Structures are given as C-alpha cells and as structure tokens.
Amino acid sequence: MSEVKNVAVIGAGVMGRGIAYVSALAGFSTTLVDVSNTQLEDAENFFEKTANKGVDLGKITLERKIELLKNISTSTNLEEVSGYTDLLIEAVPEKRDLKKKVMEIADQVAPKHTIFATNTSTISPTEIGSFTNRPSKVAVMHFFNPVHRMPLVEIVRGLETSDETVSEIREAAEKMGKETVEVNEFPGFVTSRISALIGNEAFYMLQEGVAEAKDIDKAIKLGLNFPMGPLELGDLVGLDTRLNNLKYLHRTLGEKYRPAPLLEQMVQAGRLGRKTNQGIYKYD
Ligand SMILES: NC(=O)c1ccc[n+]([C@@H]2O[C@H](COP(=O)([O-])OP(=O)(O)OC[C@H]3O[C@@H](n4cnc5c(N)ncnc54)[C@H](O)[C@@H]3O)[C@@H](O)[C@H]2O)c1
C-alpha cells in the first residue's frame, strides 16, 4: 500500500474548498485546482476565515492553524498538479462530460499509484472509472456540506475498484477526521437519493402553495427533528447542484425524481442559493 502524502482537490467550489481544508488540517500537502482564479481567491479567504474561527472556538490551536495554511496551495494547472499527487479528489460540477474531461487529463499525467476519488453525489463510479486507464484505482469519496463540520464520508466502489483503493480512501478519510460507510453502487448512493427526494418534494409543496418556505422548513425541523429544513439545505447545497442531481436520478431511477418546475425556474434565473446570495431565501 502506498502512503498518501500529496493530495490534489479539483474544483474550488462549495465542496472542493472544504475538502482541501480538512485535507490540509490532516497534514496532507494539499493543492486546490480550479479553472477560475476568482474561485481560488475566495477559497483562500475561506481557509483563513474558517481557521481563525476554529482558533477562536478552541477547536484548533494557533500552531495547527499555521501548519494548516502552510499545507495548502492553489493552482490553475491540472496537468502539473496531477503529475505529483498520490490522491486526487475531483469536485467539479455534477456534469458527466466535465468530470470525464478532468479524469482523462489527470489520468494521462498522474503516476501509476495515484488514486482517483470523485465527490460525485450521483454518478456511477464504474462509469467514472471507465474514463481512465486505472479503473481499479477509482472510487467515490462523498463528503458532505459543510465539509469541516459534517462527520461522514460515503465510499462507493465501482465494479473494478480494488480493495486496496477502498482501504486507502478509508484511511485518508479517517485521517481527515471522518467516519466512513461503504455503499454499493446505485444512482444516488444512500444520502443523495434520500436528500434529493425530500428536497424536491419541498419544492413541489412550495410551488403548490401548501405553505410558505419558512413554514415548510420549520415544520420539518421541529416536527420531524431534522437539523435543517429541506429548502434551507437546498440553498446551502446550491440549487444548480440539486437540479443536476435530480436530473441524473430522474434519468436513471425514473419518474419519482422529476425535478420540480419551480426549481428549474430558480436555476434559470441564477438564484442558486447561498453562493449567489439568493435562492429560496435572500442572504447578505
Ligand atoms: N454542494 C453540495 O452540498 C455537495 C455535497 C456533496 C457532493 N457534492 C458534489 O460535489 C461536486 C462539486 O459540487 P459543488 O457544490 O462544490 O460545485 P460548485 O459549483 O460550488 O463548484 C465547482 C467548482 O469547479 C470548478 N470547475 C469547473 N470546471 C472545472 C475544471 N475543468 N477544472 C477545475 N475546476 C473546474 C468551478 O469553477 C467551481 O469553482 C459535484 O459533483 C456535487 O454533486 C456537492
């Protein structure tokens, strides 16, 4: 088993920046890659702010914060970074062709031993593995939002994924302070399938005028003991990401997952949730 020292995270959005943070905190030398310099700058601010908050709350020491920030760098050069990584974690948008492109480019330059993990919420790891010449080294490593606070990583193996790859991913996740579950391959795994269904139902209710958004969220939180309402969670996840997940589940699992027209409309209007300061709710 090779030892993971260098981690590359591809995509500096909501998830990628969080994954890079916990990876650097675990002591891995971590490079965050994106096509957008603005996203990388935002991610750097996120590292600083999250680490400062961690120190203020007594969750990490000042020394650990300094170490963590030293462990992270950013880049726009996927080829170069893939050339020296032991574990690559892909977190680009939930679009099959985009993931295919990233995997193909990285596969050409990454060393033979490099493991390719994908943070996809829905797409088959067997299919993602088929984009590379190393399907035994490809699996899903599904983190949750916000990554530094959510304790789970769902590991999903594809048809060709080796036991060694699963062990190495589990070990890396545990070093990042996460609990793991191993799930068999099926669209949406366990968590995304349930979450997409509940979130979509809440959108249909809103569209049908069953209740106002804040009352739907309050009912689910206080009546069903969920930590967050499904509509606030949609804003946190990103409504575009939620829509992409639903489209995939609709295609693969059927009618039950047809995206609510109101969700499609909000995405068309650019109301993507917290990341654009407006989704179901408005943010400062
Ligand atoms: N948002 C969530 O709550 C959540 C939770 C679990 C899993 N996921 C999954 O994680 C993945 C990323 O989701 P997100 O919400 O972070 O998306 P996002 O839209 O917030 O961020 C995606 C980032 O990828 C970058 N990107 C696009 N093309 C790229 C390329 N070719 N190379 C490098 N970077 C590129 C974008 O510039 C952007 O910064 C998706 O597969 C999603 O399904 C999301």
Side-chain angles (χ1 to χ4, degrees):
M1 196 184 272
S2 66
E3 204 196 327
V4 172
K5 289 201 179 87
N6 294 308
V7 173
V9 181
I10 319 303
V14 174
M15 296 305 289
R17 63 186 65 176
I19 297 168
Y21 181 90
V22 295
S23 167
L25 192 60
F28 296 123
S29 172
T30 306
T31 312
L32 180 61
V33 177
D34 204 289
V35 284
S36 153
N37 276 313
T38 315
Q39 284 291 81
L40 290 174
E41 279 159 26
D42 285 355
E44 279 164 6
N45 291 335
F46 166 84
F47 300 144
E48 189 79 39
K49 233 168 89 178
T50 311
N52 284 341
K53 201 164 167 195
V55 173
D56 290 347
L57 295 173
K59 296 207 187 266
I60 56 170
T61 60
L62 192 58
E63 292 70 36
R64 214 150 163 232
K65 174 193 138 178
I66 293 166
E67 199 56 33
L68 148 80
L69 294 176
K70 247 198 280 172
N71 284 343
I72 307 190
S73 54
T74 58
S75 169
T76 50
N77 193 334
L78 173 64
E79 281 97 332
E80 189 187 59
V81 174
S82 304
Y84 59 80
T85 188
D86 304 311
L87 170 62
L88 178 143
I89 307 174
E90 170 277 309
V92 300
E94 191 74 351
K95 292 187 178 149
R96 179 192 174 277
D97 291 347
L98 193 54
K99 291 192 187 289
K100 181 168 188 272
K101 194 175 106 193
V102 166
M103 288 289 173
E104 283 173 349
I105 293 172
D107 186 43
Q108 279 171 19
V109 280
K112 275 204 170 65
H113 73 271
T114 305
I115 290 177
F116 281 25
T118 166
N119 189 48
T120 178
S121 304
T122 50
I123 303 174
S124 149
T126 301
E127 187 179 12
I128 293 182
S130 76
F131 303 151
T132 72
N133 290 309
R134 63 182 83 210
S136 69
K137 297 221 163 269
V138 179
V140 171
M141 187 176 189
H142 187 215
F143 290 84
F144 295 83
N145 184 8
V147 179
H148 63 288
R149 295 228 302 269
M150 297 297 282
L152 185 67
V153 168
E154 212 175 9
I155 302 174
V156 189
R157 62 162 83 213
L159 190 61
E160 309 286 356
T161 310
S162 70
D163 291 343
E164 193 185 357
T165 298
V166 172
S167 308
E168 288 193 38
I169 289 181
R170 186 182 301 115
E171 200 177 298
E174 285 170 357
K175 279 195 186 150
M176 294 177 196
K178 303 301 178 195
E179 296 273 344
T180 60
V181 287
E182 208 182 309
V183 174
N184 290 322
E185 176 170 343
F186 214 81
F189 324 135
V190 171
T191 52
S192 305
R193 190 167 155 185
I194 297 279
S195 174
L197 196 64
I198 295 174
N200 201 32
E201 197 59 31
F203 258 96
Y204 273 113
M205 284 181 172
L206 189 62
Q207 185 182 300
E208 288 157 8
V210 174
E212 286 185 21
K214 64 176 181 17
D215 286 335
I216 294 175
D217 278 340
K218 190 172 174 184
I220 301 300
K221 274 190 292 196
L222 303 186
L224 301 186
N225 207 17
F226 280 39
M228 276 185 102
L231 297 170
E232 337 173 50
L233 182 61
D235 274 0
L236 181 71
V237 166
L239 298 184
D240 52 339
T241 299
R242 171 131 287 171
L243 179 61
N244 284 332
N245 290 352
L246 277 162
K247 281 184 174 165
Y248 184 83
L249 293 173
H250 183 221
R251 230 176 22 252
T252 50
L253 297 178
E255 204 42 38
K256 203 160 60 169
Y257 296 89
R258 178 184 289 280
L262 179 62
L263 172 59
E264 304 229 27
Q265 200 184 23
M266 286 209 171
V267 172
Q268 276 161 0
R271 294 190 192 179
L272 306 184
R274 282 182 180 269
K275 62 184 167 189
T276 57
N277 292 330
Q278 189 174 11
I280 300 280
Y281 300 102
K282 277 194 173 164
Y283 304 88
D284 290 333

